[in-house]
Amino acid sequence: MRTRRGLCYPNPKVNMCIENKIIKRKRNDFSGIGDRRKRSKLSPEITGHHPDLFDSLPDDLVVSILCKLTSSAASPADFVNVLITCKRLNGLGHHSLVLSKASQKMLTVKAQNWSESAQRFLKQCADAGNVEACYTLGMIRFYCLQNRGSGASLMAKAAISSHAPSLYSLAVIQFNGSGGSKNDKDLRAGVALCARAAFLGHIDALRELGHCLQDGYGVKQNIAEGRRFLVQANARELAAVLSMTPSALTAGGWLTWNPLPHHRHGAGSGCPLLSDFGCNVPAPEAHPANQFLTEWFLNSSKGGVPGSGLRLCSHAGCGRPESRRHEFRRCSVCGTVNYCSRACQALDWKMRHKAECTPVERWIDEDGENDGNGEMGEEDQNMVES
């Protein structure tokens, strides 16, 4: 329909379509702007957030890093802090390869913190092939939990892998017949195990083997060869201390020579460096397994006594208890101390007992039997069996 000027009236349907198209275009324009804004908000260039690259690392690389960590960990807390970081580290931290590399200090367990979970973790490490875990758990089971068979088998498993402390501990068990009767002693087996541990450089085994050769205990007597082993033991002990404390020489005081009575009138003035014969060095740090034994019995309700009529080794760094009455031998001079081995006796004599030992003509044990022989013991500190 046209107007007077010849123009057409607007068609309402056409205008409606045009308006709709315009509206749709405007909506599309606004929606595009919104998408661009959303994309700009999520872009890392604007927000500074980058994707986590840890998830892209292969498991083999993470396991290798964890192996380095466990082998150099200074305490169990170093390993625990990694496990609680994330779920992935927790899972890979229990990998058998990681547990097999765990260091001695990482496996340290306090007696007051002993629990089923601690035993389960040590068993898991032992099953993974960790010799330190085998030795520590073996000592705890044999002496503390009195599970002799399981403890001895764990120590034997570590000894097969040439673990020197396990070899020496099995030698002490053979010398004393621990876990059995007096007739179960096997001196020749003890000397053989001690010789193997000494070959691997174990200081206590060297000292024990030296005294066995000097006394003819379980082996043919050879005083010169025994003396050589004692010199080697003290030289290794001194070298170990110097390597741990490089400033010890300037500190002064601990590296002194206190000659014994039969050495004071000698012509020479140098330090002989023989078995506990005058070179005073700090006491070596005890193995975590021995520390556990000491804490276990000292913190027990029995007041440091492993059982009725049983005694602990008098050397503070040992902690081994008797498994039967009169298993350990006593000092032949005073009769007030007892030791599981000659190595513990020599160390305790040098560190403590030398200043406390008082000769007596005779001493009586708990059963009223006189076991003393009245002999004076200097360095070798003769012992008699109870």
Side-chain angles (χ1 to χ4, degrees):
M1 187 176 181
R2 295 180 179 274
T3 60
R4 291 180 181 180
R5 294 183 180 181
L7 299 178
C8 296
Y9 287 103
N11 190 348
K13 293 182 180 181
V14 175
N15 292 338
M16 291 276 299
C17 294
I18 295 172
E19 289 177 2
N20 289 338
K21 289 180 181 180
I22 295 172
I23 292 172
K24 287 180 180 180
R25 287 175 184 173
K26 290 182 179 180
R27 286 178 182 175
N28 291 336
D29 293 341
F30 285 120
S31 62
I33 295 173
D35 292 339
R36 287 195 296 271
R37 289 178 180 176
K38 191 179 293 185
R39 285 194 297 269
S40 64
K41 289 181 179 180
L42 297 177
S43 61
E45 292 80 2
I46 304 299
T47 58
H49 294 291
H50 298 277
D52 190 0
L53 297 178
F54 176 71
D55 295 333
S56 62
L57 294 177
D59 289 347
D60 293 344
L61 179 60
V62 179
V63 168
S64 177
I65 295 172
L66 290 176
C67 288
K68 294 288 186 180
L69 172 69
T70 55
S71 62
S72 60
S75 65
D78 294 342
F79 183 62
V80 173
N81 290 335
V82 173
L83 295 183
I84 63 178
T85 302
C86 67
K87 186 176 181 180
R88 187 186 183 197
L89 287 177
N90 191 302
L92 295 177
H94 289 87
H95 193 278
S96 59
L97 186 60
V98 176
L99 297 179
S100 66
K101 302 294 184 181
S103 65
Q104 182 185 109
K105 293 184 178 180
M106 202 202 88
L107 299 173
T108 302
V109 182
K110 297 294 184 181
Q112 59 268 24
N113 298 331
W114 182 251
S115 61
E116 285 297 328
S117 60
Q119 183 173 192
R120 190 164 51 250
F121 177 73
L122 285 177
K123 184 63 168 61
Q124 189 177 359
C125 293
D127 292 339
N130 190 301
V131 292
E132 284 292 341
C134 290
Y135 173 64
T136 302
L137 185 58
M139 290 281 284
I140 294 173
R141 286 187 175 179
F142 188 90
Y143 289 108
C144 300
L145 306 181
Q146 298 184 4
N147 190 346
R148 313 294 186 189
S150 177
S153 64
L154 282 171
M155 284 188 279
K157 180 180 178 181
I160 292 173
S161 301
S162 299
H163 187 250
S166 297
L167 288 164
Y168 175 69
S169 293
L170 291 174
V172 173
I173 292 174
Q174 294 295 331
F175 281 136
N176 297 319
S178 302
S181 64
K182 188 175 181 179
N183 297 328
D184 293 327
K185 292 182 179 181
D186 193 341
L187 304 185
R188 295 184 63 182
V191 171
L193 289 167
C194 227
R196 177 60 179 166
F199 175 77
L200 296 173
H202 194 268
I203 296 175
D204 288 343
L206 283 166
R207 186 173 282 115
E208 182 76 17
L209 185 60
H211 284 292
C212 287
L213 286 168
Q214 281 192 331
D215 301 339
Y217 187 74
V219 67
K220 185 178 179 180
Q221 187 176 20
N222 190 334
I223 297 177
E225 190 70 10
R227 195 176 185 87
R228 185 178 70 83
F229 278 112
L230 295 177
V231 173
Q232 187 177 356
N234 281 264
R236 284 181 176 271
E237 184 181 36
L238 181 61
V241 172
L242 292 177
S243 64
M244 289 187 297
T245 55
S247 60
L249 288 173
T250 57
W254 65 266
L255 188 61
T256 57
W257 179 41
N258 296 325
L260 297 169
H262 60 281
H263 289 149
R264 287 172 184 164
H265 303 289
S269 60
C271 176
L273 196 64
L274 295 177
S275 169
D276 327 311
F277 295 104
C279 193
N280 298 330
V281 296
E285 184 180 0
H287 192 279
N290 297 98
Q291 295 177 3
F292 184 94
L293 297 184
T294 303
E295 296 173 0
W296 178 274
F297 293 107
L298 290 179
N299 296 335
S300 65
S301 58
K302 298 178 182 179
V305 180
S308 177
L310 303 180
R311 305 164 295 185
L312 288 173
C313 180
S314 297
H315 177 40
C318 178
R320 290 182 176 88
E322 290 182 321
S323 60
R324 66 177 186 278
R325 288 172 60 86
H326 308 302
E327 177 183 339
F328 296 161
R329 290 170 297 174
R330 287 178 168 176
C331 175
S332 62
V333 180
C334 63
T336 59
V337 293
N338 41 258
Y339 303 100
C340 67
S341 63
R342 286 170 171 78
C344 284
Q345 183 189 24
L347 286 173
D348 193 59
W349 171 259
K350 178 175 61 174
M351 300 300 174
R352 180 184 63 88
H353 190 56
K354 179 180 177 180
E356 300 175 356
C357 186
T358 303
V360 293
E361 293 183 358
R362 62 193 300 269
W363 45 268
I364 303 174
D365 65 0
E366 292 89 346
D367 296 334
E369 298 176 355
N370 184 7
D371 291 331
N373 57 9
E375 296 179 0
M376 291 291 293
E378 291 289 349
E379 269 60 318
D380 53 353
Q381 264 286 278
N382 296 326
M383 291 191 294
V384 296
E385 296 188 9
S386 298

